[in-house]
Amino acid sequence: MRLLGIDFGFKRIGVAVGETEVGIVTPRAPMAASGTLKKDADAITLLARREEVDAVVLGLPVEESGEEGRMARICRTLAGHIIGNGIQVHLVDESMTSVQADGTLREEGLKASQRRKLRDGEAAALILERYLDDQPTHS
């Protein structure tokens, strides 16, 4: 199965593509957010079709308390638009993925300006890896 991982943000949308058969997740260049959820959903749908993915895995920002706040509601609305475009969506808790991605990039010795360019795709890759890790294995 081929999946598209999404780390939604108001400025940039992190993107990663994963292949379940080989277990490889590849960060991609981020997309610029448009400012409207419908346009962003349409752009994600277009990318999903171009990448020939079976589903989109969208990060859901859950607060430390376990509650879903404003950003989680926004991501659920985005998911609804993507589903409305005919693409299956799985929501995954994205807690700390951006922080973890930044830490990994820092360990690689990248400067802050370099990390900013790569962080969103790395976070999307972590979201996708979380989803894959939670799936039952078929042996």
Side-chain angles (χ1 to χ4, degrees), residues 9-109:
F10 291 119
K11 291 183 181 179
R12 288 177 309 281
I13 301 169
V15 177
V17 175
E19 298 280 350
T20 60
E21 288 80 18
V22 291
I24 295 176
V25 174
T26 308
R28 299 285 176 87
M31 300 168 53
S34 71
T36 71
L37 291 179
K38 180 65 175 130
K39 286 181 184 175
D40 290 339
D42 291 345
I44 292 167
T45 299
L46 184 64
L47 179 61
R49 290 189 174 128
R50 192 168 50 238
E51 290 286 346
E52 299 178 344
V53 300
D54 299 290
V56 168
V57 178
L58 177 63
L60 185 68
V62 178
E63 296 178 3
E64 285 185 38
S65 66
E67 299 290 317
E68 290 187 12
R70 176 179 171 266
M71 195 63 184
R73 288 189 298 274
I74 288 167
C75 287
R76 286 191 179 279
T77 300
L78 177 67
H81 289 309
I82 296 168
I83 292 166
N85 288 340
I87 304 288
Q88 184 178 10
V89 176
H90 303 283
L91 296 169
V92 173
D93 180 3
E94 69 165 29
S95 299
M96 302 301 289
T97 54
S98 293
V99 172
Q100 187 180 348
D102 194 62
T104 301
L105 295 169
R106 181 178 282 121
E107 286 173 11
E108 292 176 10

